Amino acid sequence: MSFLSPGRSRGRLLVALGLVAFLIGWFTIGLVHVWPYPIIGWLPLPLLSVLATYECWRTYRSAQLDQATRRFWRSVGVACAILLPGNLSAMYDAFGGPELSQELGVRTQGIYVTALAVVLWALLRLPTWQRTRGDWLRFALDTGIILLTGAVVAWHFWISRIDFSDSPDTAPQAFTAIVTLSMISLITFVKVGFAGAGRLDRGALYILAAGVALAASTAVVAPMIADKPHLSTSLLALPMSQMSVVLAGRRQRRNTSAPPPQRPARRRFSVAPYLAIALLYAVLLKVEMPQGGADAMMAIAVTSATVLVVLRQLTTLTDNARLLDTVDTNLAQLRSYQKQLDHQVTHDALTGIGNRSAYTEEISARLSDGEPFVVALLDLDDFKVINDRYGHNTGDALLQTISERLRERLRAEDTVARLGGDEFTLLLPGLDVAETDVVLRELLASVQRPVLVDGHEMVPRISVGVTASDPDDAAGELLRRADVAMYAAKKNGGGRWTWFDPIMDQLADSDARLSSDLRQALARDELFLVYQPIVELPDGRLTGVEALIRWRHPEHGFVSPAVFIPLAERNGQIVELGRWVLEEAIHQAATWQREYGDNAPGKVSVNVSARQLNEPGFPAEMRALLSAAGLDPARLVVEVTETAVLGTGVGLDVVRRLHEMGLSIALDDFGTGQSSLSLLVDCPVTWLKVDKSFVDGVTSQSPQAVIVDSLIGITRGLRMEAVAEGVETAEQAERLHAAGYRFAQGYHFARPMPGSDIELLIGTTPLTPARSRR
């Protein structure tokens, strides 16, 4: 069992209580019995000092306490440690001479005074005592009045009646100095106890004050034991003070998690000086009244005049108190307004979490402290779509939900803030890369759970950029790196987190230049369409085409769609590009329909992005394009991905409306996104396009082949047509046909080609491998 365990802690308390009980019993019996070995009664004193010192040390080590409180307990521990040699010195004073003595030598007195001075200094260093000169002056005057009264009362009722001739080595100055300093400490304890000082527990202060008071009051028994050299007031004073430290330290540790107590309303005047003056005049009357005569009359007159003056002053103080109450009320209102303003300055009005200003200050402070931490920047994917589709009130409600989920999942030491719009940021101290990944994995799982907002079910997705701090960083640089990493996460599909890599800066610069060029590509006529044939198995007869966009850059040549399509998705140009592709493809399909009639490609497939589906008025725009071109809607196939019709539900509603207009719907790249078989039931899918990653393994005994075989059964049962994408060999084509597939596309049949080349194929012989290699 550890020495710090609860069982040992209770054991130390029982030991301390047992030692105190032993000392009190030893002293009490010693009043009527002369102990043959009086040194036994002194032996527990050093052990009590050790226990008290240890309790202070444990309290000082408590991490939950603020610095000022820990410093106070460290000082009290030092005082207890000082008392240990003081106890040994007192034992030497008592037993070191030829005879037993009650004298406290100069050395012992000095040690005791030093211990009390350390405690007093610890009290005066507390935040409560960092006051104005006027406060210090009033405290000094109050202390002086109380000490003067205490000295007069003590001298009259106690010290003057002690016969010091029986103890020639004992001088009244010795314990008078100690009692005086004890009284000052007691006054200070009480003052601090009423005023409060941060997380310093008031109850602990009251226990310490009681211990000081009891220790000082033991001097009252000094006259009773003047003829009993085997006893000493130290046998009572020291246990009282040390036991109070043990109890106070334990209480303080129990209340480490409690919030700092609110400071009570300040008293308009101190009652203690007036009570002291009243006691002093009572002593004066007690001394003078029995003697009678002029002195008694003068004492009565002076006392009566003082009472009248005090009553007059109290009346004035009462009026001032009412005025101060009004002032305090107004100040409290001003402080409340100031607190609200401070909160508004540093917190986001919509979500209630910190804002950019507060977050930047927090980063700067952490960097100044040299503490390592991680910054994570979160951005909601396609948030603009939600605002445009459902309105800003729904978007705001979603942001509030995201904020609540972030706060629920983070640790107490973490910081979350909203930078603006749909961007949130986290500050995660004390985590390495692996630990950060664990936190973010749990965070994304929580945040991306479905949510019902204003009657709309949504599945929010967030992209996260992550970077670790460096001592030379600035707040702006950290946020910049996290922002770059966040866009890299979006580029990779979103719904994930990505750590910053220096190469991302180079890629970001390249993307920025390419994005600028892409904005001008349409005006410069750099974009064009090609069409990849979709054929019927096994003869390879042309049944349709898929329209694909290409970009011929004036400097870089042909830019891969895998590069510029995701770039357009990120910067929003995908909507403009998609509209242009639709116009061109519909125009081309209508031209083929007019010129070739039934021989024209039966279907022209066009890819439509999630952003296009979520654009307000997209179905109406589609209807207008078809009407203007005179194209039969049945000849147009809208290809969408799984992610486009999952999530907010907006895409799914638009797809249904397009289907009602007579367009066919193809689910593209099935199996590579958030695949859900229920989507095949909910979405009006006509064509299911099986991704190339499955087709590649169709000729082997592989899981991909099993999936390909299973999908054809599903499409038949749901009365859909399946198209196998990426067919590159005759063996794959034969295996797919054997499995039941009727349609396919890929380099085995033909590469994407201009519309003019498609016209050459219309009405000719079926596409064969030989023709695909032309």
Side-chain angles (χ1 to χ4, degrees):
M1 183 184 293
S2 170
F3 188 63
L4 299 178
S5 65
R8 290 292 179 88
S9 179
R10 288 191 295 270
R12 291 192 302 273
L13 176 62
L14 293 176
V15 169
L17 290 172
L19 292 175
V20 172
F22 169 78
L23 286 168
I24 293 175
W26 179 276
F27 188 93
T28 303
I29 296 173
L31 293 175
V32 296
H33 174 74
V34 177
W35 294 107
Y37 302 103
I39 195 172
I40 294 176
W42 288 78
L43 295 179
L45 295 181
L47 183 55
L48 276 172
S49 295
V50 171
L51 290 173
T53 303
Y54 178 74
E55 290 293 339
C56 292
W57 177 80
R58 283 199 62 195
T59 308
Y60 163 71
R61 297 279 294 177
S62 178
Q64 290 84 0
L65 295 175
D66 60 279
Q67 183 178 1
T69 304
R70 294 177 67 233
R71 184 177 59 202
F72 169 78
W73 284 104
R74 181 184 62 188
S75 298
V76 175
V78 170
C80 292
I82 292 173
L83 285 179
L84 178 59
N87 294 337
L88 298 176
S89 178
M91 292 172 63
Y92 179 82
D93 293 338
F95 303 102
E99 295 181 355
L100 294 176
S101 173
Q102 295 177 338
E103 174 189 5
L104 291 179
V106 175
R107 178 185 60 251
T108 305
Q109 295 175 37
I111 294 174
Y112 287 169
V113 169
T114 300
L116 283 170
V118 170
V119 173
L120 183 59
W121 176 244
L123 286 166
L124 297 179
R125 290 185 68 195
L126 290 171
T128 301
W129 287 99
Q130 300 180 11
R131 299 179 172 182
T132 64
R133 291 184 179 180
D135 292 331
W136 277 104
L137 178 60
R138 283 187 289 274
F139 174 70
L141 291 174
D142 289 350
T143 303
I145 293 171
I146 295 172
L147 286 178
L148 178 61
T149 302
V152 171
V153 172
W155 183 266
H156 178 74
F157 290 102
W158 169 36
I159 299 176
S160 62
R161 304 182 184 186
I162 298 176
D163 185 4
F164 289 100
S165 60
D166 291 340
S167 298
D169 295 326
T170 303
Q173 294 85 353
F175 57 83
T176 300
I178 295 175
V179 170
T180 300
L181 195 56
S182 299
M183 289 298 296
I184 296 175
S185 300
L186 175 60
I187 296 168
T188 309
F189 269 123
V190 174
K191 283 271 189 178
V192 175
F194 277 111
R199 291 193 179 274
L200 189 56
D201 184 72
R202 280 202 182 100
L205 283 173
Y206 295 150
I207 293 173
L208 291 174
V212 172
L214 289 173
S217 65
T218 58
V220 175
V221 303
M224 302 170 54
I225 62 173
D227 58 344
K228 297 177 177 58
H230 59 283
L231 296 179
S232 171
T233 55
S234 297
L235 297 177
L236 293 180
L238 293 172
M240 298 295 182
S241 61
Q242 301 293 272
M243 191 65 215
S244 69
V245 171
V246 172
L247 295 175
R250 293 172 62 86
R251 178 184 172 90
Q252 177 70 75
R253 289 198 303 278
R254 286 198 304 270
N255 296 331
T256 51
S257 59
Q262 295 295 322
R263 184 171 179 173
R266 60 189 179 93
R267 188 173 295 169
R268 301 310 176 193
F269 56 90
S270 178
V271 176
Y274 294 98
L275 294 177
I277 292 297
L279 180 60
L280 186 62
Y281 276 102
V283 174
L284 176 62
L285 293 176
K286 179 181 178 300
V287 173
E288 297 297 337
M289 289 300 292
Q291 299 179 9
D295 290 342
M297 292 298 296
M298 183 61 68
I300 294 173
V302 170
T303 302
S304 300
T306 302
V307 169
L308 294 175
V309 170
V310 169
L311 291 175
R312 174 67 178 83
Q313 188 176 16
L314 290 177
T315 302
T316 302
L317 290 174
T318 302
D319 293 337
N320 291 340
R322 294 195 187 98
L323 177 61
L324 288 174
D325 283 336
T326 303
V327 173
D328 281 352
T329 300
N330 294 334
L331 287 175
Q333 292 177 350
L334 288 175
R335 283 193 291 269
S336 176
Y337 295 150
Q338 182 65 44
K339 187 175 181 181
Q340 294 176 12
L341 290 174
D342 291 342
H343 187 275
Q344 293 173 5
V345 169
T346 58
H347 288 73
D348 177 57
L350 176 64
T351 61
I353 61 178
N355 58 16
R356 176 185 289 270
S357 174
Y359 185 79
T360 303
E361 290 181 2
E362 178 71 12
I363 290 181
S364 299
R366 299 267 185 173
L367 289 172
S368 299
D369 294 340
E371 176 186 357
F373 57 90
V374 170
V375 168
L377 183 64
L378 292 73
D379 186 87
L380 267 71
D381 298 336
D382 297 323
F383 181 69
K384 180 179 182 299
V385 173
I386 296 174
N387 273 339
D388 293 343
R389 179 71 177 179
Y390 297 120
H392 290 278
N393 289 338
T394 300
D396 289 347
L398 178 60
L399 291 175
Q400 291 171 338
T401 301
I402 297 298
S403 170
E404 292 173 2
R405 290 180 175 181
L406 289 173
R407 282 183 289 188
E408 289 172 357
R409 298 299 303 179
L410 293 177
R411 305 169 300 166
E413 60 267 32
D414 298 332
T415 301
V416 59
R418 181 183 175 215
L419 295 186
D422 60 340
E423 286 188 338
F424 295 85
T425 188
L426 310 176
L427 191 152
L428 310 172
L431 296 180
D432 57 23
V433 173
E435 292 169 337
T436 302
D437 287 342
V438 171
V439 170
L440 292 177
R441 185 177 296 108
E442 295 176 351
L443 196 68
L444 262 66
S446 174
V447 172
Q448 296 185 155
R449 287 183 287 111
V451 57
L452 188 65
V453 180
D454 295 337
H456 307 290
E457 184 175 3
M458 306 177 188
V459 182
R461 284 166 54 84
I462 60 175
S463 299
V464 186
V466 194
T467 185
S469 66
D470 186 85
D472 298 329
D473 277 334
E477 170 61 17
L478 273 170
L479 288 174
R480 186 198 68 80
R481 294 206 305 262
D483 190 59
V484 171
M486 183 268 291
Y487 278 105
K490 283 185 175 293
K491 183 177 180 180
N492 292 328
R496 68 191 65 202
W497 72 91
T498 300
W499 283 87
F500 174 80
D501 189 291
I503 199 173
M504 290 179 181
D505 280 336
Q506 302 176 21
L507 296 175
D509 291 340
S510 176
D511 281 355
R513 290 191 295 270
L514 200 62
S515 179
S516 177
D517 293 341
L518 184 58
R519 290 189 179 93
Q520 305 175 58
L522 277 175
R524 294 175 177 175
D525 200 25
E526 296 170 4
L527 301 175
F528 61 95
L529 292 186
V530 294
Y531 301 88
Q532 184 172 34
I534 299 174
V535 304
E536 186 175 0
L537 298 176
D539 55 14
R541 184 175 63 86
L542 177 67
T543 61
V545 294
E546 179 180 356
L548 303 169
I549 188 171
R550 294 293 184 264
W551 181 15
R552 184 186 296 107
H553 193 280
E555 296 180 10
H556 305 301
F558 285 101
V559 180
S560 171
V563 173
F564 72 83
I565 293 297
L567 185 63
E569 290 276 5
R570 292 195 299 276
N571 62 24
Q573 288 180 263
I574 193 65
V575 175
E576 184 181 359
L577 293 182
R579 184 181 296 112
W580 180 84
V581 170
L582 273 175
E583 292 174 352
E584 291 293 312
I586 290 175
H587 175 74
Q588 181 65 79
T591 300
W592 287 335
Q593 179 180 316
R594 288 192 301 270
E595 295 182 0
Y596 297 98
D598 293 340
N599 291 328
K603 301 288 184 182
V604 176
S605 298
V606 180
N607 290 280
V608 175
S609 70
R611 283 180 177 264
Q612 286 179 273
L613 289 178
N614 287 279
E615 279 291 303
F618 179 74
E621 180 183 345
M622 178 70 79
R623 181 181 289 108
L625 289 173
L626 292 171
S627 176
L631 179 66
D632 181 0
R635 287 185 175 270
L636 190 67
V637 178
V638 174
E639 291 195 15
V640 296
T641 61
E642 302 164 33
T643 54
V645 290
L646 285 175
T648 64
V650 178
L652 185 57
D653 293 340
V654 172
V655 165
R656 287 169 177 165
R657 293 177 61 185
L658 294 176
H659 183 261
E660 292 170 359
M661 291 166 50
L663 283 79
S664 297
I665 306 299
L667 197 58
D668 196 16
D669 300 332
F670 184 79
T672 62
Q674 302 180 41
S675 297
S676 173
L677 293 178
S678 64
L679 183 61
L680 300 179
V681 178
D682 299 333
C683 186
V685 177
T686 310
W687 297 82
L688 184 68
K689 305 196 74 173
V690 181
D691 188 69
K692 181 181 183 298
S693 61
F694 298 112
V695 173
D696 286 342
V698 73
T699 58
S700 62
Q701 298 296 323
S702 65
Q704 289 89 341
V706 175
I707 293 175
V708 168
D709 291 339
S710 300
L711 287 178
I712 195 64
I714 293 174
T715 55
R716 285 175 177 173
L718 296 176
R719 297 182 180 180
M720 301 176 186
E721 294 291 351
V723 179
E725 294 184 299
V727 180
E728 296 183 344
T729 67
E731 185 182 6
Q732 288 177 342
E734 293 172 0
R735 172 69 175 80
L736 289 167
H737 180 256
Y741 284 81
R742 292 183 55 208
F743 302 97
Q745 70 182 96
Y747 286 0
H748 172 65
F749 304 105
R751 293 176 180 271
M753 60 186 68
S756 58
D757 287 358
I758 294 293
E759 294 172 2
L760 298 176
L761 300 178
I762 296 176
T764 64
T765 58
L767 291 176
T768 66
R771 292 181 63 83
S772 71
R773 290 192 292 271
R774 288 191 316 169

